[in-house]
Amino acid sequence: MGGIRVGTASWTDKTLLASGWYPQTADTAEKRLAYYARQFPLVEVDATYYSPPAEQTVKLWAERTPADFTFNIKAFSLLTGHPTKVSSIFKDLRPETDKSSVYPRDLDPKTTDEIWERFLSALQPLSDAGKLGVLLFQFPPWFTIRRSNKDYVLEAAERCRPLPIAVEFRHESWFAGDNRAETLDFLRRHHLPFVCVDMPQGHKSSIPPVVEATADRAVVRFHGHSDKWTSRDIYEKFGYLYSQRELKDWAPKLEKLADSTGETHVLMNNCYSDYAQRNAKQLIDLLTDDAGTSD
């Protein structure tokens, strides 16, 4: 498989736990992570989008996984401009407001700076262990292509340095017409990995399946093709099981991508039941078979 790592977005989803994918002996958080890490070399932590992690939790992730295991971390919602529950903000930094959710503009800049610092500091154990892949910055559907938003992408990269970020857009404007070349050139100039996506098309939030490397690491996320993409129910939105044919069509694209960059991370984000785990295993088998054939 060369420099391709395949994994899933989350290992603790409640529908996954109910699916029977984990053996009965994996009856604790520690045992489940250990079991997952024996199946896959990579995982994306999505829980960090909803709430900053405690450093002790991150330390346990590092301690409970093999030396060559990799965690990609999804950036906290406030850092990507999404509405964020006040209750998920560090208790001593919560604004005095009647709102249940806030945006970055609702906070004092010094408070925002402190949230950035604490979020990144908590990830240090993974970085020290050499197990931190990228910080995934998935921007909201209203984050359109314009100078101020490009500046924010660069600000995020600078704040995180030396930790690497990867950039996922969710508005069609970034790849409309000539904007496609402009977007990819922007990311290449600043050595920022573009997150390639496979997702439903025809929506304002749709990004086409552009398979391009813009840095020394590439990231590909598979969101599925649910016909209920606009649903507020995440299991309706992401509850899509890829067919063998679909994955087989993707395998050579991923191999070609891997040839043009140092390392490629492939994440199945169709997180309902054990769909992501089943598809990730199928994809690994396809890529391994192709590698054996080419030998």
Side-chain angles (χ1 to χ4, degrees):
M1 286 173 56
I4 303 178
R5 287 175 172 261
V6 179
T8 70
S10 170
W11 72 94
T12 59
D13 180 85
K14 64 181 182 181
T15 63
L16 172 62
L17 300 184
S19 73
W21 184 75
Y22 284 106
Q24 290 186 347
T25 52
D27 54 0
T28 66
E30 180 177 4
K31 291 177 181 178
R32 284 191 287 270
L33 179 55
Y35 178 81
Y36 176 96
R38 289 197 295 272
Q39 316 306 313
F40 305 108
L42 169 71
V43 78
E44 178 183 288
V45 184
D46 280 0
T48 49
Y49 168 82
Y50 299 99
S51 183
E55 185 169 346
Q56 178 59 26
T57 300
V58 176
K59 186 170 181 287
L60 291 174
W61 292 343
E63 292 173 350
R64 293 172 174 176
T65 47
D68 61 348
F69 192 79
T70 299
F71 290 85
N72 285 356
I73 304 293
K74 195 170 184 181
F76 183 39
S77 57
L78 192 81
L79 310 184
T80 51
H82 287 85
T84 299
K85 290 184 178 180
V86 172
S87 58
S88 72
I89 297 173
F90 299 101
K91 194 169 183 179
D92 62 314
L93 298 179
R94 292 173 190 169
E96 294 183 11
T97 178
D98 294 331
K99 298 177 181 178
S100 59
S101 296
V102 293
Y103 290 85
R105 62 176 179 266
D106 298 319
L107 301 181
D108 178 270
K110 289 184 179 179
T111 299
T112 302
D113 290 344
E114 182 65 19
I115 291 171
W116 271 98
E117 185 173 336
R118 292 189 194 182
F119 178 82
L120 295 172
S121 177
L123 304 179
Q124 198 60 46
L126 283 181
S127 181
D128 291 344
K131 295 184 178 183
L132 182 62
V134 298
L135 303 186
L136 170 66
F137 276 75
Q138 183 190 81
F139 291 102
W142 53 89
F143 192 83
T144 59
I145 185 169
R146 64 179 191 223
R147 183 180 296 277
S148 61
N149 286 340
K150 287 182 180 180
D151 287 345
Y152 187 78
V153 171
L154 297 181
E155 178 187 338
E158 183 59 34
R159 283 183 182 267
C160 293
R161 193 168 283 118
L163 306 182
I165 77 168
V167 181
E168 180 175 344
F169 297 115
R170 279 285 180 88
H171 191 276
E172 62 181 1
S173 61
W174 292 91
F175 283 85
D178 294 341
N179 289 354
R180 169 176 167 155
E182 180 183 335
T183 295
L184 295 174
D185 287 346
F186 163 71
L187 295 173
R188 284 195 181 101
R189 281 199 313 275
H190 298 285
H191 311 289
L192 298 175
F194 164 63
V195 178
C196 315
V197 293
D198 184 59
M199 66 184 297
Q201 298 297 296
H203 304 278
K204 289 287 186 183
S205 62
S206 296
I207 298 296
V210 175
V211 186
E212 294 271 0
T214 57
D216 60 0
R217 182 176 286 147
V219 181
V220 184
R221 300 180 80 229
F222 285 82
H223 298 310
H225 289 274
S226 170
D227 57 6
K228 297 180 179 177
W229 180 249
T230 57
S231 174
R232 289 177 177 269
D233 183 325
I234 61 170
Y235 298 121
E236 288 186 345
K237 185 170 186 172
F238 294 105
Y240 181 86
L241 185 66
Y242 281 88
S243 69
Q244 181 78 0
R245 177 74 261 173
E246 288 174 297
L247 296 176
K248 193 170 184 178
D249 288 345
W250 264 97
K253 299 175 186 176
L254 297 174
E255 290 162 352
K256 184 177 179 181
L257 178 65
D259 286 341
S260 62
T261 190
E263 186 172 87
T264 300
H265 292 184
V266 180
L267 283 309
M268 302 305 303
N269 191 39
N270 51 333
C271 295
Y272 172 71
S273 185
D274 63 349
Y275 288 6
Q277 283 68 25
R278 286 160 60 185
N279 282 158
K281 181 62 169 62
Q282 285 176 282
L283 193 51
I284 287 173
D285 290 344
L286 286 167
L287 292 166
T288 302
D289 288 347
D290 284 356
T293 301
S294 64
D295 290 344

Coordinates of all heavy atoms in Angstrom, one line a residue, residues 66-145:
P66 N -0.3 1.4 19.4 CA 1.0 1.0 18.9 C 1.8 2.2 18.5 O 1.3 3.3 18.2 CB 0.7 0.1 17.7 CG -0.7 -0.4 17.9 CD -1.4 0.7 18.6
A67 N 3.1 2.1 18.5 CA 4.1 3.2 18.2 C 3.8 3.8 16.8 O 4.0 5.0 16.7 CB 5.5 2.7 18.3
D68 N 3.3 3.0 15.9 CA 3.2 3.6 14.5 C 1.7 4.0 14.2 O 1.3 4.2 13.1 CB 3.6 2.6 13.5 CG 2.8 1.3 13.5 OD1 2.1 1.0 14.5 OD2 3.0 0.5 12.6
F69 N 0.9 4.1 15.3 CA -0.5 4.5 15.1 C -0.6 6.0 14.9 O 0.1 6.7 15.5 CB -1.4 4.0 16.3 CG -2.8 4.1 16.0 CD1 -3.5 3.1 15.3 CD2 -3.6 5.1 16.6 CE1 -4.9 3.2 15.1 CE2 -4.9 5.2 16.4 CZ -5.6 4.2 15.6
T70 N -1.6 6.4 14.2 CA -1.8 7.8 13.9 C -3.2 8.3 14.2 O -4.2 7.7 13.8 CB -1.5 8.2 12.4 OG1 -0.1 7.8 12.1 CG2 -1.7 9.6 12.1
F71 N -3.3 9.5 14.9 CA -4.6 10.1 15.2 C -4.6 11.4 14.3 O -3.7 12.3 14.4 CB -4.7 10.5 16.6 CG -4.8 9.4 17.6 CD1 -3.7 8.7 18.1 CD2 -6.1 9.0 18.1 CE1 -3.8 7.6 19.0 CE2 -6.2 7.9 19.0 CZ -5.1 7.3 19.4
N72 N -5.7 11.6 13.6 CA -6.0 12.9 13.0 C -7.1 13.5 13.9 O -8.0 12.8 14.4 CB -6.6 12.8 11.6 CG -5.5 12.5 10.6 OD1 -4.3 12.5 10.9 ND2 -5.9 12.3 9.3
I73 N -7.0 14.8 14.2 CA -7.8 15.5 15.2 C -8.7 16.5 14.5 O -8.1 17.4 13.8 CB -7.0 16.1 16.3 CG1 -6.1 15.1 17.0 CG2 -7.9 16.8 17.3 CD1 -6.8 14.1 17.8
K74 N -10.0 16.4 14.7 CA -10.9 17.4 14.1 C -10.9 18.7 15.0 O -11.1 18.6 16.2 CB -12.3 16.9 13.9 CG -13.2 17.7 13.0 CD -14.5 16.9 12.7 CE -15.3 17.7 11.7 NZ -16.6 17.0 11.4
A75 N -10.7 19.8 14.3 CA -10.6 21.1 15.1 C -11.9 21.4 15.8 O -13.0 21.2 15.2 CB -10.2 22.2 14.2
F76 N -11.8 21.9 17.0 CA -13.0 22.4 17.8 C -13.8 23.3 16.9 O -13.3 24.2 16.2 CB -12.5 23.1 19.0 CG -13.5 23.5 20.0 CD1 -14.7 22.8 20.2 CD2 -13.4 24.7 20.7 CE1 -15.6 23.2 21.1 CE2 -14.3 25.2 21.6 CZ -15.4 24.4 21.8
S77 N -15.1 23.2 17.0 CA -16.1 23.9 16.2 C -15.9 25.4 16.2 O -16.0 26.1 15.2 CB -17.5 23.6 16.6 OG -17.7 23.9 17.9
L78 N -15.5 26.0 17.4 CA -15.3 27.4 17.5 C -14.2 27.9 16.6 O -14.2 29.0 16.1 CB -15.1 27.8 18.9 CG -15.2 29.3 19.2 CD1 -16.6 29.7 19.4 CD2 -14.4 29.7 20.5
L79 N -13.2 27.1 16.4 CA -12.0 27.4 15.7 C -12.2 27.4 14.2 O -11.4 27.9 13.4 CB -10.8 26.5 16.0 CG -10.6 26.4 17.5 CD1 -9.3 25.5 17.8 CD2 -10.5 27.7 18.2
T80 N -13.3 26.8 13.7 CA -13.6 26.7 12.3 C -14.8 27.6 12.0 O -15.3 27.6 10.8 CB -13.9 25.3 11.8 OG1 -14.8 24.7 12.7 CG2 -12.6 24.5 11.8
G81 N -15.3 28.4 12.9 CA -16.4 29.3 12.7 C -17.8 28.7 12.7 O -18.8 29.4 12.3
H82 N -17.9 27.5 13.3 CA -19.2 26.9 13.4 C -19.9 27.4 14.8 O -19.2 27.8 15.7 CB -19.1 25.4 13.5 CG -18.8 24.7 12.2 ND1 -17.5 24.6 11.8 CD2 -19.6 24.2 11.3 CE1 -17.5 24.0 10.6 NE2 -18.8 23.7 10.3
P83 N -21.2 27.3 14.8 CA -21.8 27.6 16.1 C -21.4 26.6 17.2 O -21.3 25.4 16.8 CB -23.3 27.5 15.8 CG -23.4 26.7 14.6 CD -22.2 27.0 13.8
T84 N -21.1 27.1 18.3 CA -20.5 26.2 19.4 C -21.3 26.4 20.7 O -21.6 27.5 21.1 CB -19.1 26.7 19.6 OG1 -18.3 26.5 18.4 CG2 -18.4 25.8 20.7
K85 N -21.7 25.2 21.2 CA -22.4 25.2 22.5 C -21.6 25.9 23.6 O -20.4 25.6 23.8 CB -22.8 23.8 22.9 CG -23.9 23.2 22.0 CD -24.3 21.8 22.5 CE -25.4 21.2 21.7 NZ -25.8 19.9 22.2
V86 N -22.2 26.8 24.3 CA -21.5 27.5 25.4 C -21.0 26.5 26.4 O -19.9 26.6 26.9 CB -22.5 28.5 26.1 CG1 -21.8 29.1 27.3 CG2 -22.8 29.7 25.1
S87 N -21.8 25.4 26.6 CA -21.5 24.4 27.6 C -20.2 23.6 27.2 O -19.6 23.0 28.1 CB -22.6 23.5 27.8 OG -23.0 22.8 26.6
S88 N -19.8 23.7 26.0 CA -18.6 22.9 25.5 C -17.3 23.8 25.7 O -16.2 23.2 25.5 CB -18.8 22.5 24.1 OG -18.7 23.6 23.2
I89 N -17.5 25.0 25.9 CA -16.3 25.9 26.1 C -15.7 25.7 27.5 O -16.5 25.4 28.5 CB -16.7 27.4 25.9 CG1 -17.2 27.6 24.4 CG2 -15.6 28.3 26.1 CD1 -17.8 28.9 24.1
F90 N -14.4 25.9 27.7 CA -13.8 25.8 29.0 C -14.6 26.6 30.0 O -14.9 27.8 29.7 CB -12.4 26.3 28.9 CG -11.5 25.5 28.0 CD1 -11.2 26.0 26.7 CD2 -11.0 24.2 28.3 CE1 -10.4 25.2 25.8 CE2 -10.2 23.5 27.5 CZ -9.9 24.0 26.2
K91 N -14.9 26.0 31.1 CA -15.9 26.6 32.1 C -15.5 28.0 32.4 O -16.3 28.9 32.5 CB -15.9 25.7 33.3 CG -17.1 26.1 34.2 CD -17.3 25.0 35.3 CE -18.6 25.3 36.1 NZ -18.8 24.3 37.2
D92 N -14.2 28.3 32.7 CA -13.8 29.6 33.1 C -13.7 30.6 32.0 O -13.5 31.8 32.2 CB -12.4 29.6 33.8 CG -11.3 29.1 32.9 OD1 -11.6 28.1 32.2 OD2 -10.3 29.7 32.9
L93 N -14.0 30.2 30.8 CA -13.9 31.1 29.6 C -15.3 31.3 29.0 O -15.4 32.0 28.0 CB -13.0 30.5 28.5 CG -11.5 30.4 29.0 CD1 -10.7 29.8 27.8 CD2 -10.9 31.7 29.4
R94 N -16.3 30.7 29.5 CA -17.6 30.8 28.9 C -18.2 32.2 29.1 O -18.1 32.9 30.1 CB -18.6 29.9 29.6 CG -18.3 28.4 29.4 CD -19.2 27.5 30.2 NE -18.7 26.1 30.1 CZ -19.1 25.1 30.8 NH1 -20.0 25.3 31.8 NH2 -18.6 23.9 30.7
P95 N -18.7 32.8 28.0 CA -19.3 34.1 28.0 C -20.6 34.2 28.8 O -21.3 33.2 28.9 CB -19.5 34.4 26.5 CG -19.8 33.1 25.9 CD -18.9 32.1 26.6
E96 N -20.8 35.3 29.4 CA -22.1 35.5 30.0 C -23.2 35.9 29.0 O -23.2 37.0 28.5 CB -22.0 36.7 31.1 CG -21.0 36.3 32.2 CD -21.0 37.4 33.3 OE1 -21.9 38.4 33.2 OE2 -20.1 37.4 34.2
T97 N -24.0 34.9 28.7 CA -25.0 35.1 27.7 C -26.2 34.1 27.9 O -26.0 33.1 28.5 CB -24.4 34.8 26.3 OG1 -25.4 34.9 25.3 CG2 -23.8 33.4 26.2
D98 N -27.3 34.5 27.4 CA -28.5 33.6 27.4 C -28.5 32.7 26.2 O -29.4 31.8 26.2 CB -29.8 34.5 27.4 CG -29.9 35.3 28.7 OD1 -29.4 34.9 29.7 OD2 -30.5 36.4 28.6
K99 N -27.6 32.9 25.3 CA -27.6 32.0 24.1 C -27.1 30.6 24.5 O -26.2 30.5 25.3 CB -26.7 32.6 23.0 CG -27.1 34.0 22.5 CD -26.1 34.4 21.5 CE -26.4 35.8 20.9 NZ -25.4 36.3 20.0
S100 N -27.6 29.6 23.8 CA -27.1 28.3 24.1 C -25.8 28.0 23.2 O -25.0 27.2 23.6 CB -28.1 27.2 23.7 OG -28.5 27.3 22.4
S101 N -25.7 28.7 22.1 CA -24.6 28.6 21.2 C -24.0 29.9 20.8 O -24.8 30.9 20.7 CB -24.9 27.8 19.9 OG -25.3 26.5 20.2
V102 N -22.7 30.0 20.5 CA -22.1 31.2 20.2 C -21.2 31.0 19.0 O -20.8 29.9 18.6 CB -21.3 31.8 21.3 CG1 -22.2 32.3 22.5 CG2 -20.2 30.8 21.8
Y103 N -20.8 32.1 18.3 CA -19.8 32.1 17.2 C -18.6 32.8 17.7 O -18.6 33.6 18.8 CB -20.4 32.9 16.0 CG -21.5 32.1 15.3 CD1 -22.8 32.3 15.8 CD2 -21.3 31.3 14.2 CE1 -23.9 31.6 15.1 CE2 -22.3 30.6 13.6 CZ -23.6 30.8 14.0 OH -24.6 30.1 13.4
P104 N -17.4 32.7 17.0 CA -16.2 33.4 17.5 C -16.4 34.9 17.7 O -15.9 35.5 18.6 CB -15.3 33.2 16.3 CG -15.7 31.8 15.8 CD -17.2 31.9 15.9
R105 N -17.3 35.5 16.8 CA -17.5 37.0 17.0 C -18.2 37.4 18.3 O -18.2 38.5 18.7 CB -18.4 37.5 15.8 CG -19.8 36.9 15.8 CD -20.7 37.4 14.7 NE -22.0 36.8 14.7 CZ -22.3 35.8 13.9 NH1 -21.4 35.3 13.1 NH2 -23.6 35.3 13.9
D106 N -18.8 36.4 19.0 CA -19.4 36.6 20.3 C -18.5 36.6 21.4 O -18.9 36.9 22.6 CB -20.5 35.6 20.5 CG -21.6 35.6 19.5 OD1 -22.0 36.7 19.1 OD2 -22.1 34.5 19.0
L107 N -17.2 36.3 21.2 CA -16.2 36.2 22.3 C -15.2 37.3 22.2 O -14.9 37.8 21.1 CB -15.5 34.8 22.2 CG -16.4 33.6 22.3 CD1 -15.5 32.4 22.3 CD2 -17.2 33.6 23.6
D108 N -14.6 37.6 23.3 CA -13.5 38.6 23.4 C -12.3 37.9 22.7 O -12.1 36.7 22.9 CB -13.2 38.9 24.8 CG -12.0 39.8 25.0 OD1 -10.9 39.3 25.0 OD2 -12.2 41.0 25.0
P109 N -11.6 38.7 21.9 CA -10.4 38.1 21.2 C -9.4 37.4 22.1 O -8.9 36.4 21.8 CB -9.8 39.3 20.5 CG -10.9 40.2 20.2 CD -11.8 40.1 21.4
K110 N -9.2 37.9 23.3 CA -8.3 37.3 24.3 C -8.9 35.9 24.7 O -8.1 35.0 24.9 CB -8.1 38.2 25.5 CG -7.3 39.4 25.2 CD -7.0 40.2 26.4 CE -6.2 41.5 26.1 NZ -5.9 42.3 27.3
T111 N -10.2 35.8 24.8 CA -10.8 34.5 25.2 C -10.6 33.5 24.0 O -10.2 32.4 24.3 CB -12.3 34.7 25.4 OG1 -12.5 35.6 26.5 CG2 -13.0 33.4 25.8
T112 N -10.8 34.0 22.8 CA -10.5 33.1 21.7 C -9.1 32.6 21.6 O -8.8 31.5 21.4 CB -10.9 33.8 20.4 OG1 -12.3 34.3 20.4 CG2 -10.7 32.9 19.2
D113 N -8.2 33.5 21.9 CA -6.7 33.2 21.9 C -6.5 32.1 22.9 O -5.7 31.2 22.7 CB -5.9 34.4 22.2 CG -5.8 35.4 21.1 OD1 -6.2 35.1 19.9 OD2 -5.4 36.6 21.3
E114 N -7.1 32.2 24.1 CA -6.9 31.3 25.2 C -7.5 29.9 24.8 O -6.9 28.9 25.1 CB -7.5 31.8 26.5 CG -7.3 30.9 27.7 CD -5.9 30.8 28.1 OE1 -5.0 31.6 27.7 OE2 -5.6 29.8 28.8
I115 N -8.6 29.9 24.1 CA -9.2 28.6 23.7 C -8.3 27.9 22.7 O -8.1 26.7 22.8 CB -10.6 28.9 23.1 CG1 -11.6 29.3 24.2 CG2 -11.1 27.6 22.4 CD1 -12.9 29.8 23.7
W116 N -7.8 28.7 21.7 CA -6.8 28.1 20.8 C -5.6 27.5 21.6 O -5.2 26.4 21.3 CB -6.2 29.2 19.9 CG -7.0 29.5 18.6 CD1 -7.9 30.5 18.4 CD2 -6.9 28.8 17.4 NE1 -8.4 30.5 17.1 CE2 -7.7 29.4 16.5 CE3 -6.1 27.7 17.0 CZ2 -7.9 29.0 15.1 CZ3 -6.2 27.3 15.7 CH2 -7.1 27.9 14.8
E117 N -5.1 28.2 22.5 CA -3.9 27.8 23.2 C -4.2 26.5 24.0 O -3.4 25.5 24.0 CB -3.4 28.9 24.1 CG -2.1 28.5 24.8 CD -1.5 29.7 25.6 OE1 -1.8 30.8 25.3 OE2 -0.7 29.4 26.6
R118 N -5.3 26.4 24.7 CA -5.6 25.3 25.5 C -5.9 24.1 24.6 O -5.5 22.9 24.9 CB -6.8 25.6 26.4 CG -6.5 26.6 27.5 CD -7.6 26.7 28.5 NE -7.5 27.8 29.3 CZ -8.4 28.1 30.3 NH1 -9.4 27.3 30.5 NH2 -8.3 29.2 31.0
F119 N -6.6 24.3 23.5 CA -7.0 23.2 22.6 C -5.7 22.6 22.1 O -5.5 21.3 22.1 CB -7.8 23.7 21.4 CG -8.2 22.6 20.4 CD1 -9.2 21.7 20.7 CD2 -7.5 22.5 19.3 CE1 -9.6 20.7 19.8 CE2 -7.8 21.5 18.3 CZ -8.8 20.6 18.6
L120 N -4.8 23.4 21.6 CA -3.5 22.9 21.0 C -2.6 22.2 22.1 O -2.0 21.2 21.8 CB -2.8 24.0 20.3 CG -3.6 24.5 19.0 CD1 -2.8 25.8 18.5 CD2 -3.7 23.5 17.9
S121 N -2.6 22.8 23.2 CA -1.8 22.3 24.3 C -2.2 20.9 24.7 O -1.3 20.1 25.0 CB -1.8 23.3 25.5 OG -1.1 22.7 26.6
A122 N -3.5 20.7 24.7 CA -4.0 19.3 25.1 C -3.5 18.2 24.2 O -3.5 17.1 24.5 CB -5.5 19.4 25.2
L123 N -3.2 18.6 22.9 CA -2.8 17.6 22.0 C -1.3 17.2 22.1 O -0.8 16.4 21.3 CB -3.1 18.1 20.5 CG -4.5 18.5 20.3 CD1 -4.7 19.0 18.8 CD2 -5.4 17.3 20.5
Q124 N -0.6 17.9 23.0 CA 0.9 17.7 23.0 C 1.3 16.3 23.3 O 2.3 15.8 22.7 CB 1.5 18.6 24.1 CG 3.0 18.8 24.0 CD 3.4 19.5 22.7 OE1 2.8 20.4 22.3 NE2 4.4 18.9 22.1
P125 N 0.6 15.5 24.1 CA 1.0 14.1 24.3 C 1.1 13.3 23.0 O 1.9 12.5 22.8 CB 0.0 13.5 25.2 CG -0.5 14.7 26.0 CD -0.5 15.8 25.0
L126 N 0.1 13.5 22.1 CA 0.1 12.8 20.8 C 1.3 13.3 19.9 O 2.0 12.5 19.3 CB -1.2 13.1 20.0 CG -2.4 12.3 20.4 CD1 -3.6 12.7 19.5 CD2 -2.1 10.8 20.4
S127 N 1.5 14.6 19.9 CA 2.7 15.2 19.2 C 4.0 14.6 19.7 O 4.9 14.2 18.9 CB 2.6 16.7 19.3 OG 3.7 17.3 18.5
D128 N 4.1 14.6 21.0 CA 5.4 14.1 21.6 C 5.6 12.6 21.3 O 6.8 12.2 21.1 CB 5.3 14.2 23.2 CG 5.4 15.7 23.6 OD1 5.8 16.5 22.8 OD2 5.0 16.0 24.8
A129 N 4.5 11.9 21.2 CA 4.6 10.4 20.9 C 4.8 10.1 19.4 O 4.9 9.0 19.0 CB 3.4 9.7 21.4
G130 N 4.7 11.2 18.5 CA 4.8 11.0 17.1 C 3.6 10.4 16.5 O 3.7 9.8 15.4
K131 N 2.4 10.6 17.2 CA 1.2 9.9 16.7 C 0.2 10.9 16.2 O -1.0 10.5 15.9 CB 0.6 9.1 17.9 CG 1.5 8.0 18.3 CD 0.8 7.1 19.4 CE 1.7 5.9 19.7 NZ 1.0 5.1 20.7
L132 N 0.5 12.2 16.1 CA -0.4 13.2 15.6 C -0.2 13.3 14.1 O 0.9 13.7 13.6 CB -0.2 14.5 16.3 CG -1.2 15.7 15.9 CD1 -2.6 15.3 16.2 CD2 -0.8 17.0 16.6
G133 N -1.3 13.1 13.3 CA -1.2 13.2 11.9 C -1.5 14.6 11.5 O -0.5 15.4 11.3
V134 N -2.7 15.0 11.3 CA -3.1 16.4 11.0 C -4.2 16.8 11.9 O -5.0 16.0 12.4 CB -3.5 16.5 9.5 CG1 -2.4 16.1 8.6 CG2 -4.7 15.7 9.2
L135 N -4.4 18.2 12.0 CA -5.6 18.8 12.5 C -6.5 19.1 11.4 O -6.1 19.8 10.5 CB -5.2 20.0 13.3 CG -4.2 19.9 14.4 CD1 -4.1 21.2 15.2 CD2 -4.6 18.8 15.4
L136 N -7.7 18.5 11.4 CA -8.6 18.7 10.3 C -9.4 19.9 10.5 O -10.2 20.0 11.5 CB -9.6 17.4 10.2 CG -10.8 17.6 9.3 CD1 -10.3 17.8 7.8 CD2 -11.7 16.5 9.4
F137 N -9.3 20.9 9.6 CA -10.1 22.1 9.7 C -11.2 22.0 8.6 O -10.9 22.2 7.4 CB -9.2 23.3 9.5 CG -8.6 23.8 10.8 CD1 -7.5 23.1 11.3 CD2 -9.1 24.9 11.5 CE1 -6.9 23.5 12.5 CE2 -8.5 25.3 12.7 CZ -7.4 24.6 13.2
Q138 N -12.4 21.6 9.1 CA -13.5 21.4 8.2 C -14.3 22.7 8.3 O -14.9 22.9 9.4 CB -14.3 20.2 8.5 CG -15.5 20.0 7.6 CD -16.4 18.9 8.1 OE1 -17.3 19.2 8.9 NE2 -16.3 17.7 7.6
F139 N -14.3 23.6 7.3 CA -15.0 24.8 7.4 C -16.5 24.7 7.0 O -16.9 23.8 6.3 CB -14.3 25.9 6.5 CG -12.9 26.2 7.0 CD1 -11.7 25.7 6.5 CD2 -12.8 27.1 8.1 CE1 -10.5 26.0 7.0 CE2 -11.5 27.4 8.7 CZ -10.4 26.8 8.1
P140 N -17.3 25.6 7.6 CA -18.7 25.5 7.4 C -19.2 25.8 6.0 O -18.5 26.4 5.2 CB -19.3 26.5 8.4 CG -18.2 27.5 8.6 CD -16.9 26.8 8.4
P141 N -20.4 25.4 5.7 CA -21.0 25.6 4.3 C -21.1 27.1 3.9 O -21.2 27.3 2.7 CB -22.4 25.0 4.4 CG -22.3 24.0 5.5 CD -21.4 24.6 6.5
W142 N -21.0 28.0 4.8 CA -21.1 29.4 4.5 C -19.7 30.1 4.3 O -19.5 31.2 4.1 CB -21.9 30.2 5.5 CG -21.5 30.0 6.9 CD1 -20.5 30.8 7.6 CD2 -22.0 29.0 7.8 NE1 -20.4 30.3 8.9 CE2 -21.3 29.2 9.1 CE3 -22.9 28.0 7.7 CZ2 -21.5 28.4 10.2 CZ3 -23.1 27.2 8.9 CH2 -22.4 27.4 10.1
F143 N -18.7 29.2 4.5 CA -17.3 29.7 4.3 C -16.9 29.7 2.8 O -16.4 28.7 2.3 CB -16.4 28.8 5.2 CG -15.0 29.3 5.4 CD1 -14.7 30.1 6.4 CD2 -13.9 28.8 4.6 CE1 -13.4 30.5 6.6 CE2 -12.6 29.2 4.8 CZ -12.3 30.1 5.8
T144 N -17.2 30.8 2.2 CA -17.0 30.8 0.7 C -15.6 31.3 0.3 O -14.8 31.7 1.1 CB -18.1 31.8 0.1 OG1 -17.8 33.1 0.7 CG2 -19.5 31.4 0.4
I145 N -15.3 31.2 -1.0 CA -14.0 31.6 -1.5 C -14.0 33.1 -1.5 O -14.7 33.8 -2.3 CB -13.7 31.0 -2.8 CG1 -12.2 31.3 -3.2 CG2 -14.7 31.4 -3.9 CD1 -11.7 30.6 -4.4

